[in-house]
Amino acid sequence: MKTVIQYVLILWLVALTVLPELCVAGIQDGDSLRHDSRNIAYFDSIGVYYSIHSDNRKALIFFNEALALKKQLYDTSGLISSYEHISYSLQLLKKYREAISYQLLAISLRNEIMHKPSGKYFLRVRYLISKPDDSLNLTRLYYRYALLLSNDGKKKQGLDYYVLALKVAKNLKYDKAISTIANDLAGEYWDLGKKKLSTFHYEEALAAAIRINDSIRMAAIYLNLGDNYKEQGKFEAGIGLIIKALKIKEAINDSSHLSFYFIKAAEVAKASRNWKKWEKYIRKAYEVKDLDHCASPKEKAIIYENLGNIAEQNAHLNIAFQYYDTLMDISRKINYINGIIVALNSRAHLYKKMGQPAKALRLISAADKYITENPFYHINSNNNKAELYLETREYQKILPLLNENIASLVLENYADAKLRTLRLLYKVNTRMAHYKEAFRWNDSLRNFENFLRDKDVRVKIAELETKYQTEKHKNIISLLKTRNELYNQQIQFAILLIIALIVFIIFGIFMARITSIRNFFQKG
C-alpha cells in the first residue's frame, strides 16, 4: 500500500513540473482569445442590463466596447448583433439617422453571409440616407425605413419611424404622404392588436385622401376599415364599407387589386356564416386573379387559402391539401410569413380530421417558429393545440392555453378566434366534469354566438348587398343609355359638320367663279 502511495506521489510531482511546460505554449496561444471572448460576453451583458433599465447612454458605451473586440476577432455573427444593439440604443436616444446607418450595416452583413441580394427597401433607404436632411427627404427616409423594419419582422421597432414620417408629412401638409403613411401605420397597429389606434389612423388616412380627392386611396382605406370592423364582429358596418370601396372602384373603372376587394367581401360573408356568399366572392376573386393588376402574389396566396378552406368544408380533403400546397409555394417564394403559418396550420387541421393528431401537432409546432408580433397567430396557435389535446385527452395541457387566450387584451379584436376559445373552454370543462365552469362558459358562448349570428345583422347585410347590386345594375343601364345618347349626338354632329363643309366648299367655288367672271369683264 505504501509503495502504491509513493508511486502516486512521484507521478503527481512529475505532472506538476513537466505538464505545465508542455502546455504553456498552447495556453498562451488560446488565452488571449478566451480572454477577449469573455470580455465580449461581459460588455454585451452589461449593455443589455443598462438597456433593460432604460439607461441607453451607458448601454451604448458597452455595446461599442463589445463591437471593437468583435472586429478584432472577425466575429461576423457577433458584429450583426452589435450593430443591431447599437442601432436600437441610438433610436431610443432619438439619434435616428445614426440608428438607421448601423441597422443597414447589420442587414448588409447578414445578406453577405447568407448570399442574399439586397431587397428593394434596403436599397431605397441606403439611397435616401445619403441625401440632404430636408423635410421631404426625411419623410421618405423614415417611411421607407419603417417598411424595411416591418418587412424584417421588427414591427414594434418600426413604429417610431412611421410616427416620425407622419409627423413630418403633417408639418409639410403633404396629404398624399399623410394618407399613405397613416394607412400603413394603421395596418401595423392592427397587426400588433391595437385596434383603437388602428381605426384612428385609418380615419386619418381617409380624411387626407378625401382632401386630395384620391378615389383609389379612398377605396383602399374603406376596405381596410371594413376589415377592422369585420374582425371585431361588426359585420353590418364592415360589409357597408367594403361595398363602398367596390362602388368607388367601379365608378373610376379601376381593376387594380380587384381580387383583394372580393376576398374582403368573402371574409365578411364567412365570418357571418353565409357560406354561399363566401364561396361566391372567392370564386369571383379567383376568376380575375390572372388579369393585369388584379391580384398581387400575396393576394393569390390568400385566394388559395380560402379555396382550401372551402374544399375542406365540403369534405374534399385531397383537394384542400393541393390548395394549401400552392399557398405554401407562393408564400415561400415571396417570403409571406403569415401565409406560411396559415399553410402549416391548415395542413395540421386536415391531419387532425384524418385522425393523425401527432402529425398535426408537429405542424403546429413548426408554425410556431414563424409566429411574428401579430397576437392573432399566437391566439390561433393556442386554440389549435387545445383542439389536438382534446383529441388526445390531455386535458391538463388545454386549460393554461385557453386561459391565456381569455386573459389576452386583444382577443376582442378577433371574433372568430374568441368563438373558438369559448367553445373549447366549454368542451374541456365538460370533459373534466367541471360542470359549474362548463355552464358558465356555455352562457358566454351562447351570448357571443347570438351577437355574431343576429338575424337582424344578416338581414341588413343582405339588404346592403341587394341595394349595391341593384344600384350597380342601374348604373350599368344608365351608363349604356348615356353611351347611346353620346353616340347619337356624335353622329348628328358629324352630319352637321359634313353639311357645313359641303356648303363652305360650294360657297368657295361660287366665290371663285364670281371673281373669275369679274376679272374677265375688267380685262374686256
Side-chain angles (χ1 to χ4, degrees):
M1 186 69 180
K2 285 182 181 179
T3 308
V4 173
I5 293 169
Q6 284 174 353
Y7 277 120
V8 170
L9 287 171
I10 291 165
L11 288 170
W12 178 249
L13 287 168
V14 170
L16 287 174
T17 54
V18 176
L19 286 178
E21 290 178 12
L22 293 173
C23 299
V24 71
I27 290 170
Q28 284 173 343
D29 288 340
D31 191 51
S32 176
L33 185 63
R34 286 196 296 273
H35 181 68
D36 285 346
S37 297
R38 285 196 297 271
N39 281 342
I40 288 169
Y42 169 75
F43 288 136
D44 271 339
S45 61
I46 297 298
V48 169
Y49 170 82
Y50 280 122
S51 184
I52 290 168
H53 291 83
S54 302
D55 193 342
N56 295 297
R57 292 187 189 282
K58 284 185 180 176
L60 199 55
I61 292 167
F62 286 96
F63 287 141
N64 275 312
E65 290 288 342
L67 176 65
L69 289 172
K70 288 173 186 178
K71 283 180 177 177
Q72 290 175 17
L73 297 174
Y74 303 104
D75 179 5
T76 49
S77 59
L79 283 171
I80 293 168
S81 172
S82 284
Y83 287 143
E84 290 187 333
H85 279 312
I86 291 168
S87 174
Y88 193 51
S89 295
L90 287 166
Q91 179 180 330
L92 295 172
L93 290 168
K94 299 186 178 179
K95 296 180 179 181
Y96 299 112
R97 286 183 77 90
E98 282 185 74
I100 294 170
S101 297
Y102 274 99
Q103 187 65 42
L104 291 181
L105 287 171
I107 294 169
S108 180
L109 190 54
R110 187 185 295 117
N111 288 344
E112 187 182 321
I113 293 167
M114 297 175 71
H115 304 291
K116 275 177 63 179
S118 299
K120 61 179 180 178
Y121 295 129
F122 173 83
L123 294 172
R124 188 63 181 162
V125 171
R126 192 172 64 181
Y127 167 75
L128 288 168
I129 202 164
S130 64
K131 292 291 177 184
D133 241 358
D134 63 273
S135 296
L136 185 58
N137 185 59
L138 278 177
T139 304
R140 289 169 177 163
L141 173 63
Y142 292 149
Y143 172 60
R144 296 290 178 184
Y145 184 59
L147 290 172
L148 174 63
L149 287 174
S150 179
N151 196 53
D152 204 33
K154 298 179 175 70
K155 286 183 177 291
K156 286 181 181 176
Q157 193 175 336
L159 286 177
D160 281 353
Y161 293 95
Y162 277 116
V163 172
L164 280 168
L166 186 57
K167 184 180 178 182
V168 179
K170 283 180 181 176
N171 290 339
L172 290 170
K173 296 183 179 177
Y174 186 16
D175 282 325
K176 187 177 178 181
I178 292 169
S179 180
T180 300
I181 298 163
N183 184 59
D184 284 356
L185 178 57
E188 295 296 301
Y189 277 129
W190 185 254
D191 275 347
L192 293 168
K194 299 181 179 181
K195 63 179 181 179
K196 287 182 181 177
L197 282 169
S198 174
T199 301
F200 171 80
H201 285 293
Y202 275 137
E203 287 170 351
E204 184 177 41
L206 180 62
I210 290 168
R211 285 197 295 273
I212 56 175
N213 195 30
D214 190 329
S215 298
I216 293 173
R217 288 173 189 272
M218 287 160 61
I221 298 162
Y222 278 129
L223 185 72
N224 291 332
L225 270 172
D227 199 33
N228 268 22
Y229 288 128
K230 182 266 294 182
E231 289 288 348
Q232 295 171 48
K234 298 175 182 177
F235 303 126
E236 182 189 351
I239 195 70
L241 289 172
I242 290 168
I243 286 170
K244 210 168 190 176
L246 281 166
K247 280 183 181 179
I248 291 171
K249 286 185 80 67
E250 285 177 351
I252 60 175
N253 197 28
D254 174 34
S255 63
S256 61
H257 300 285
L258 186 59
S259 277
F260 195 58
Y261 288 72
F262 286 132
I263 288 165
K264 290 301 169 188
E267 286 176 356
V268 174
K270 181 185 178 184
S272 61
R273 306 297 188 268
N274 194 331
W275 310 120
K276 286 184 180 178
K277 293 287 184 190
W278 170 39
E279 185 168 353
K280 172 189 160 186
Y281 279 119
I282 288 300
R283 297 292 176 197
K284 281 187 175 184
Y286 182 80
E287 284 168 13
V288 301
K289 72 178 172 59
D290 293 322
L291 300 178
D292 285 345
H293 312 297
C294 280
S296 68
K298 179 179 171 182
E299 287 152 12
K300 288 178 183 178
I302 296 169
I303 291 168
Y304 283 108
E305 174 195 340
N306 278 274
L307 286 170
N309 293 164
I310 291 164
E312 189 177 339
Q313 183 158 296
N314 294 330
H316 301 147
L317 301 190
N318 289 332
I319 295 171
F321 266 118
Q322 291 171 21
Y323 283 131
Y324 294 144
D325 287 344
T326 308
L327 164 62
M328 179 62 88
D329 290 342
I330 295 171
S331 299
R332 280 183 172 153
K333 281 177 187 173
I334 62 173
N335 195 33
Y336 176 38
I337 300 300
N338 290 353
I340 293 170
I341 295 169
V342 169
L344 289 167
N345 282 331
S346 299
R347 284 171 171 174
H349 195 251
L350 288 175
Y351 280 122
K352 174 179 166 284
K353 281 190 169 183
M354 293 162 69
Q356 299 180 47
K359 263 189 180 180
L361 200 55
R362 280 200 298 273
L363 286 169
I364 289 168
S365 298
D368 283 349
K369 294 174 185 175
Y370 291 94
I371 286 178
T372 61
E373 292 168 321
N374 186 333
F376 168 76
Y377 292 106
H378 184 69
I379 291 167
N380 196 47
S381 177
N382 284 349
N383 281 336
N384 288 339
K385 287 173 189 170
E387 285 179 349
L388 287 169
Y389 289 138
L390 200 65
E391 293 281 321
T392 57
R393 301 186 180 186
E394 296 175 80
Y395 304 132
Q396 295 302 330
K397 291 182 179 179
I398 299 174
L399 286 176
L401 296 168
L402 299 180
N403 288 334
E404 184 185 344
N405 280 3
I406 285 294
S408 173
L409 297 174
V410 297
L411 185 63
E412 293 297 324
N413 296 1
Y414 311 110
D416 204 44
K418 182 179 177 181
L419 191 67
R420 281 181 73 198
T421 300
L422 291 171
R423 280 178 180 156
L424 285 164
L425 279 165
Y426 166 67
K427 284 181 181 177
V428 72
N429 278 289
T430 303
R431 296 271 187 94
M432 295 174 76
H434 298 166
Y435 298 118
K436 187 176 179 181
E437 285 295 294
F439 282 127
R440 184 168 72 85
W441 289 118
N442 184 57
D443 287 342
S444 299
L445 172 62
R446 297 296 165 240
N447 290 336
F448 194 61
E449 280 182 330
N450 289 337
F451 167 70
L452 294 180
R453 295 175 176 179
D454 190 327
K455 287 183 181 178
D456 291 338
V457 170
R458 299 183 88 181
V459 166
K460 284 173 184 174
I461 289 173
E463 284 173 356
L464 280 167
E465 210 170 34
T466 304
K467 186 180 176 184
Y468 162 64
Q469 295 294 343
T470 305
E471 286 182 11
K472 181 178 169 183
H473 291 313
K474 283 180 181 176
N475 288 338
I476 291 168
I477 292 164
S478 175
L479 184 63
L480 289 171
K481 283 181 179 177
T482 304
R483 282 180 181 171
N484 287 335
E485 286 171 8
L486 285 170
Y487 182 67
N488 291 334
Q489 286 172 7
Q490 285 170 352
I491 290 172
Q492 289 170 8
F493 179 73
I495 292 167
L496 288 171
L497 192 64
I498 291 165
I499 292 168
L501 190 62
I502 292 168
V503 169
F504 180 75
I505 291 167
I506 292 169
F507 180 72
I509 293 168
F510 175 74
M511 290 302 295
R513 182 68 179 160
I514 293 295
T515 303
S516 177
I517 293 168
R518 189 180 293 160
N519 290 338
F520 176 77
F521 281 112
Q522 283 175 353
K523 286 178 182 179

